[in-house]
Amino acid sequence: MGRGKIEIKRIQNTTTRQVTFSKRRTGLMKKTRELSVLCDAEIGLIIFSSTGKMFQYCTEPLRMEQMIEKYQRSTGTSIVEHDHPRQELLHDVAMLRQETLRLELGIQRYLGEDMSCLKFEDLTKLEEDLESSVAKVRNRQNELLQQQIENLRRKERILEEENSNLTNWIQEHRTMFEFQKAAVEANKPVQHQQVMDHFPFFEEQPTSTFLQLAAPAFPHLHPYLQLAQPNIHDSVRAPEPQN
C-alpha cells in the first residue's frame, strides 16, 4: 500500500516547514548529483531558505561563477554589478549636504541676512518664529531671576538668624562684660563677695568652682581671679609644740 498523496501548498507550521525543507533539500542535492554523474550533465543549483541562508551545488570540477558565465553567454544576458554600499554612502553624503545647506540658510535668515528671496508669507512666519524664541528666552531669564531672588532671600534669613543669635548672646553676657570692664578700670582684684553680688546664681557653688568656670570665659580677668584665690600654703599652719 503506497503513501498518500500530499497536497502541495505552503506548510503553515514553522517547525514542520523547516523540517520538510531540510529533508527535501538533502534529497534534491542527492538527485542533482546523481543526474550530473549519470548523464555527464553540468548543473548549477542555488537554494535560498526562508531565512535567507544559501545552499548551492555545482558539477565538479566547475565553479558556480563559471556556470553563471556560461549561462550569460548562452542566453545573451548579463548581470549588472551594483556597488550598493558605495551608492548608499554617496546618497547619504548628498542628503547631509542638503540638510547642512538648509540649516545654514535658516541661521542666516534668523540673523537677518539673505532675506531678499523671501516672500511676505515667509517673512511673516520668520517673524512669528523669532517672537516665539524671544518669549522662550524671556521666560528662561525670569526663571533664573526667581532662583537668584530665592537664594538671596534664603541667605537673608540665615543672616537674620545669626544676627538674632548673636544679639541674644550679647544681651545674656552684657552684665558679665560690664563687670569685667569695671574691674579693669578700677585696677583692683575681684573679690569673691563682689562676684556673688553681681552673679547671685553662683551662690551655691564653691569659690574654686566659680573661679575655674570664670577663668576660661574671661581671660582679661584671669590675673585678678588668681589673686582672689586663697593661698593654700598660708592656710596650712605648723602645729604648736605641746608642753
Side-chain angles (χ1 to χ4, degrees):
M1 186 174 180
R3 292 182 301 174
K5 187 177 181 180
I6 300 176
E7 183 180 2
I8 304 302
K9 66 176 184 179
R10 184 176 183 273
I11 301 173
Q12 298 299 327
N13 187 275
T14 305
T15 304
T16 305
R17 185 169 62 247
Q18 185 65 27
V19 172
T20 302
F21 172 78
S22 179
K23 291 181 178 180
R24 297 215 171 195
R25 185 199 72 228
T26 303
L28 179 60
M29 291 287 190
K30 181 179 179 181
K31 293 296 182 182
T32 303
R33 179 178 177 279
E34 291 176 356
L35 177 62
S36 175
V37 174
L38 293 174
C39 302
D40 196 18
E42 297 178 355
I43 303 175
L45 176 64
I46 300 176
I47 303 173
F48 289 96
S49 67
S50 59
T51 58
K53 189 175 182 181
M54 187 187 73
F55 304 90
Q56 65 178 4
Y57 172 81
C58 183
T59 302
E60 295 179 355
L62 300 176
R63 293 180 294 106
M64 186 59 69
E65 290 81 1
Q66 295 173 342
M67 295 293 296
I68 293 174
E69 290 177 359
K70 191 172 183 178
Y71 168 80
Q72 292 175 353
R73 290 194 299 268
S74 300
T75 58
T77 59
S78 61
I79 300 176
V80 180
E81 296 182 358
H82 297 281
D83 191 359
H84 293 289
R86 185 172 182 274
Q87 289 183 353
E88 292 178 358
L89 181 61
L90 293 176
H91 177 71
D92 294 341
V93 171
M95 293 294 294
L96 289 175
R97 287 178 179 175
Q98 292 179 0
E99 184 68 17
T100 303
L101 181 61
R102 186 183 67 82
L103 293 175
E104 290 178 352
L105 183 60
I107 293 173
Q108 292 178 359
R109 291 176 179 177
Y110 279 115
L111 295 176
E113 302 175 358
D114 193 17
M115 295 189 297
S116 59
C117 59
L118 295 178
K119 298 181 181 180
F120 181 80
E121 293 79 5
D122 297 334
L123 292 174
T124 302
K125 186 177 183 307
L126 180 61
E127 182 181 8
E128 293 176 354
D129 294 340
L130 290 174
E131 290 178 353
S132 176
S133 300
V134 171
K136 293 179 180 179
V137 172
R138 288 176 179 172
N139 291 334
R140 181 56 180 166
Q141 285 180 337
N142 292 332
E143 292 179 359
L144 294 177
L145 288 175
Q146 290 296 331
Q147 293 178 2
Q148 292 179 359
I149 291 174
E150 290 296 331
N151 293 334
L152 291 176
R153 288 177 178 174
R154 190 180 301 108
K155 291 181 180 179
E156 181 182 5
R157 289 194 296 269
I158 293 174
L159 292 176
E160 288 179 352
E161 292 178 359
E162 292 180 353
N163 187 26
S164 177
N165 295 333
L166 183 59
T167 302
N168 294 334
W169 186 87
I170 292 175
Q171 291 177 354
E172 292 175 358
H173 297 77
R174 179 175 297 174
T175 305
M176 182 69 74
F177 291 154
E178 291 177 354
F179 178 76
Q180 176 186 4
K181 181 179 179 181
V184 173
E185 291 178 353
N187 195 15
K188 61 182 180 179
V190 180
Q191 300 298 327
H192 174 68
Q193 188 60 37
Q194 293 176 341
V195 174
M196 294 297 103
D197 294 339
H198 285 82
F199 305 100
F201 50 85
F202 284 109
E203 291 180 356
E204 301 299 330
Q205 301 294 335
T207 304
S208 60
T209 304
F210 170 74
L211 295 176
Q212 291 175 0
L213 295 174
F218 305 99
H220 298 290
L221 287 178
H222 188 62
Y224 304 106
L225 295 177
Q226 288 181 348
L227 293 175
Q229 295 181 6
N231 193 340
I232 298 176
H233 297 285
D234 296 340
S235 60
V236 178
R237 298 180 178 178
E240 298 180 355
Q242 298 180 359
N243 294 327

